[in-house]
Amino acid sequence: MNTLNSKNNNNSPIGFFDSGVGGLTVLNKVKQILPNENFIYYGDTLHMPYGDKSKSQLLEYSKDILEFFEDKGCKAVVMACNTTSSTIYNDIKNDYDFRLYPIVQSVAKILAELPIGRLGIFATRATIESGAYQNEIFKYNSKMKVFGQYCPKWVHIVENSTKNTEESRQTIKADLLKMLENNPEKIVLGCTHYPFLTDVLSEYAPADLFLDPAVDFAKYIKQDLERSGLLTSSVLQNKEEFYVSANPEQFKISAQMFYELKSNPELLTFKNLV
Ligand code: DGL
């Protein structure tokens, strides 16, 4: 849905959510091109990793978070999570009175138009098993060969800030070498946590092989808000609020590898505590 209601207007905040710090890679890109907007970020650290959860669990968690954003009067919500975009977006896309942006569907056309024939996708297990990237890209380009691979340990490596340990580096390298057997011309970092690992990945393959879809996603969001008359009319607001469902201290530590938090994350849980 895309209408304004009594609770929101073009100066209302934009909500972001993910299972933890990953969505900050998207917030970061959006903030660069929309510096006057207000943002509310929710990291569902209690239920992280989303990539191992069932569709019904992901629906339950996402609905709670989306209701929270509704109560906060958000004008738009960014599903800064490939896993929920791939698995549950279609089930809830018409249920809310704000613009809802899913990362996978929003960038699929741009990926499909890349001048290449072989595309790798690194993502979570749930994203890969849903086939969402393949299906969405196929709508625009049926010729592109898309190779999906999940990397079960990467989200934990990012959330626990252990990317520089020898064990983590070997895990990342082994997963990358497996993907390289497909000879991809580009590899999409199809989980918002993975751009935190770009420096490690770039030690084993050229940096320009990796593609962070957040860059195009941010442009897409800006264009859509513009078209919908929803860009803020005030200058230099840029307030940011952060909420997490567990371990605010660890969130802060992991986030700061990538993003400078302007305020401390607040602990906030909903009814579904398991
Ligand atoms: N960062 C999320 C994604 O883009 C979810 C990662 C997870 O919690 O497994 O898919």
Side-chain angles (χ1 to χ4, degrees):
M1 287 245 189
N2 50 21
T3 46
L4 292 175
N5 59 31
S6 53
K7 277 198 190 154
N8 61 26
N9 60 54
N10 68 316
N11 291 324
S12 300
I14 303 173
F16 280 72
F17 78 98
D18 193 10
S19 62
V21 292
L24 294 173
T25 58
V26 179
L27 174 57
N28 194 31
K29 295 284 182 283
V30 172
K31 201 173 120 166
Q32 280 169 18
I33 56 173
L34 293 174
N36 297 324
E37 298 289 340
N38 292 330
F39 302 111
I40 303 179
Y41 186 94
Y42 191 87
D44 193 6
T45 40
L46 182 66
H47 299 124
M48 186 275 298
Y50 273 9
D52 297 346
K53 299 292 186 296
S54 66
K55 182 171 171 177
S56 61
Q57 285 173 307
L58 293 170
L59 258 178
E60 211 169 295
Y61 309 151
S62 301
K63 282 182 179 177
D64 281 344
I65 298 167
L66 290 165
E67 275 168 32
F68 162 69
F69 286 134
E70 203 163 44
D71 291 343
K72 283 278 193 180
C74 288
K75 64 183 177 188
V77 174
V78 178
M79 208 179 244
C81 173
N82 293 262
T83 305
T84 50
S85 303
S86 299
T87 54
I88 60 114
Y89 168 71
N90 284 333
D91 295 83
I92 47 106
K93 63 183 177 193
N94 296 319
D95 295 353
Y96 301 92
D97 279 340
F98 42 64
R99 301 289 295 160
L100 183 58
Y101 301 116
I103 183 163
V104 178
Q105 292 81 348
S106 306
V107 300
K109 185 166 184 283
I110 294 159
L111 296 177
E113 286 169 355
L114 288 172
I116 59 171
R118 303 172 74 81
L119 182 68
I121 309 280
F122 277 142
T124 65
R125 181 182 181 136
T127 299
I128 296 300
E129 290 184 348
S130 74
Y133 265 105
Q134 284 88 339
N135 296 339
E136 292 297 323
I137 290 171
F138 188 83
K139 286 183 190 166
Y140 307 101
N141 181 350
S142 57
K143 296 212 172 67
M144 188 179 269
K145 284 203 170 15
V146 180
F147 304 93
Q149 183 185 317
Y150 57 86
C151 308
K153 296 195 178 144
W154 291 16
V155 168
H156 290 288
I157 290 172
V158 172
E159 289 288 339
N160 299 324
S161 340
T162 58
K163 69 176 178 177
N164 290 319
T165 66
E166 195 43 37
E167 195 188 337
S168 298
R169 298 167 76 82
Q170 288 310 320
T171 300
I172 295 165
K173 185 180 174 187
D175 287 332
L176 174 59
L177 292 181
K178 189 170 161 211
M179 170 59 90
L180 292 179
E181 287 170 15
N182 301 308
N183 291 320
E185 289 156 89
K186 290 276 176 203
I187 303 174
V188 176
L189 301 176
C191 167
T192 54
H193 284 75
Y194 297 175
F196 278 80
L197 304 174
T198 309
D199 52 347
V200 181
L201 286 164
S202 304
E203 285 178 31
Y204 307 116
D208 65 359
L209 181 64
F210 304 103
L211 205 156
D212 178 1
V215 179
D216 288 316
F217 189 29
K219 287 186 203 150
Y220 176 91
I221 292 165
K222 183 179 177 188
Q223 276 165 11
D224 188 83
L225 288 171
E226 219 156 29
R227 245 194 327 258
S228 315
L230 284 174
L231 287 179
T232 183
S233 51
S234 51
V235 280
L236 294 175
Q237 286 198 77
N238 189 225
K239 288 191 217 113
E240 294 175 25
E241 293 171 32
F242 297 91
Y243 298 89
V244 292
S245 49
N247 302 325
E249 281 310 313
Q250 180 58 40
F251 180 89
K252 207 172 151 185
I253 294 167
S254 305
Q256 276 166 353
M257 286 194 304
F258 192 87
Y259 191 93
E260 201 189 326
L261 295 186
K262 279 181 160 182
S263 58
N264 281 327
E266 242 176 77
L267 188 63
L268 177 71
T269 52
F270 308 110
K271 60 187 184 299
N272 305 305
L273 286 175
V274 281

